[in-house]
Amino acid sequence: EATSLTTLIGAPGEVFVFTAANTVLTPLLTTATLSALSATNSSAGLSPTFASTYTDYTLTVNSGSSSTDITATGSTGTSVLINGSASPKTIGMSASVSSVSGSGSGSVMTYTTSAAHNFAAGQKVTVTGATPSGYNVTAATITSASGSTFTVAGITTGSSSGTIAATIIDAKITVMVTAEDGTTVNKYTITANK
């Protein structure tokens, strides 16, 4: 019985997957783009208007909204992550703070919000309305966040009072798109403000 040998020569970056003998080979897709990107709770929407070839956007979240939901849809064969999670992803933008506590020795101030906030470590937060005033911060980096608490560096101690509000500024939202080949990656960014 005669056998034949076929040599495949692909373009740079082209990957072939063999699943069975006598199979027609189709290279894996290397396109890592979005086909759609949207945000809720923003009258103006993304700026500029979405186009798959543009990767940097800004977003102004409506003043009365405490969060925005980002939805990203990838082109055929892609996988999409928003800040490391599946689409859609809720991004917290503001919250009412019910209490604050500080530890002078640990240099950490812990804020407890009235409800889950969807904040993330690394975001910048401004807190206003607290007494003592040392609990008020401007563009402080959140060092940890979960559920209804978040922390920032600081040394104010004692009980807090007042009508306290926390607002995220310059929230960086990263949308990572990975092509079907598993190696081609494209990054889209959204900078969100209230």
Side-chain angles (χ1 to χ4, degrees), residues 86-101:
S87 177
K89 171 79 174 159
T90 299
I91 307 295
M93 296 300 295
S94 64
S96 295
V97 177
S98 56
S99 68
V100 184
S101 62

Side-chain angles (χ1 to χ4, degrees), residues 40-194:
T40 62
N41 300 326
S42 175
S43 298
L46 293 170
S47 178
T49 301
F50 173 74
S52 64
T53 55
Y54 192 75
T55 58
D56 294 306
Y57 297 89
T58 58
L59 176 69
T60 301
V61 177
N62 297 337
S63 62
S65 299
S66 61
S67 65
T68 182
D69 292 329
I70 305 297
T71 302
T73 305
S75 56
T76 302
T78 60
S79 63
V80 177
L81 294 176
I82 302 171
N83 286 359
S85 299
S87 177
K89 171 79 174 159
T90 299
I91 307 295
M93 296 300 295
S94 64
S96 295
V97 177
S98 56
S99 68
V100 184
S101 62
S103 169
S105 61
S107 300
V108 172
M109 296 185 298
T110 301
Y111 296 80
T112 302
T113 57
S114 304
H117 50 63
N118 291 307
F119 294 171
Q123 287 181 315
K124 301 284 187 188
V125 65
T126 295
V127 177
T128 58
T131 302
S133 62
Y135 286 127
N136 296 318
V137 296
T138 302
T141 301
I142 295 176
T143 54
S144 68
S146 66
S148 62
T149 63
F150 66 94
T151 61
V152 299
I155 56 172
T156 299
T157 60
S159 299
S160 64
S161 63
T163 303
I164 307 168
T167 304
I168 298 297
I169 57 170
D170 290 337
K172 301 295 185 205
I173 303 163
T174 303
V175 180
M176 298 299 292
V177 184
T178 303
E180 186 179 41
D181 69 0
T183 59
T184 306
V185 178
N186 198 5
K187 178 171 108 174
Y188 293 77
T189 58
I190 303 168
T191 302
N193 284 291
K194 280 195 72 157

